[in-house]
Amino acid sequence: MTRVRTVLFDRDSILAEDPLDPGRLRPASGALEALGMLRLHDVRTGFVAVQPDTRHGGAADADVRAVNRRVDELLGPFDIWGVCPHGPDDGCHCRPPEPGLILWAAGRVCTAPADCAVVGTAADAEAASRVGAHGILVPDQRTRPEETARAGHVAPDVLTAVRALLAGPPRGRVLVDERPIESAFGEGEA
């Protein structure tokens, strides 16, 4: 069994709340603890992000760098961070679900894709699977049901994803939900 050596996170869906404003940016729930667990086990960490398209009112390069620095200040240090600077219609090879950004980040930290995991959106998980990395979808309010159904591995939150990765590469489609039982169910469910 291959040990996961590097874990890449989607910056905007997993690590940060309010990721477009460095002054308001806050760590997402469970992110600091999850990163601490990985670092304690000598697993390299990094984050990837898709830069908002500057041609259509998105953030400027300096703004993206400021956000990345703030994420690193709050949650780092990270071994690698990468940003796809292209728009959705540019046909690049790095914007998920294309795997270029994952290949670039894994190469920068000398980790084979098979020893790398990506925790994030459905597009991130698909990009990971295209290159033999372990992709884990952590659904949020924007995740469509068909994306969850298509994902190879699904975790309810970042802590569950990281705990599963520390046990080795993910096994099973839906990773165990380790939240306290009362918070695992919505109101009225039992």
Side-chain angles (χ1 to χ4, degrees), residues 34-165:
L35 289 162
M37 290 168 52
L38 291 169
R39 292 176 183 132
L40 185 66
H41 288 87
D42 295 319
V43 176
R44 291 179 158 202
T45 60
F47 64 83
V48 293
V50 174
Q51 177 176 324
D53 190 354
T54 56
R55 295 166 296 187
H56 297 101
D61 287 343
D63 296 333
V64 172
R65 285 192 299 276
V67 167
N68 288 344
R69 279 192 304 274
R70 183 68 177 146
V71 170
D72 199 59
E73 287 170 8
L74 292 172
L75 297 166
F78 289 93
D79 296 293
I80 187 73
W81 1 308
V83 176
C84 168
H86 306 105
D89 299 324
D90 288 347
C92 72
H93 297 289
C94 56
R95 188 180 185 92
E98 295 299 323
L101 192 54
I102 294 168
L103 289 172
W104 173 84
R108 296 287 296 191
V109 293
C110 299
T111 302
D115 297 334
C116 187
V118 182
V119 179
T121 66
D124 296 321
E126 183 180 335
S129 72
R130 287 182 178 189
V131 293
H134 307 282
I136 300 177
L137 167 63
V138 177
D140 62 15
Q141 66 276 7
R142 296 172 305 211
T143 307
R144 296 185 314 268
E146 60 271 16
E147 292 174 324
T148 303
R150 231 182 6 251
H153 304 290
V154 179
D157 55 56
V158 67
L159 283 173
T160 302
V162 166
R163 287 182 181 127
L165 289 168

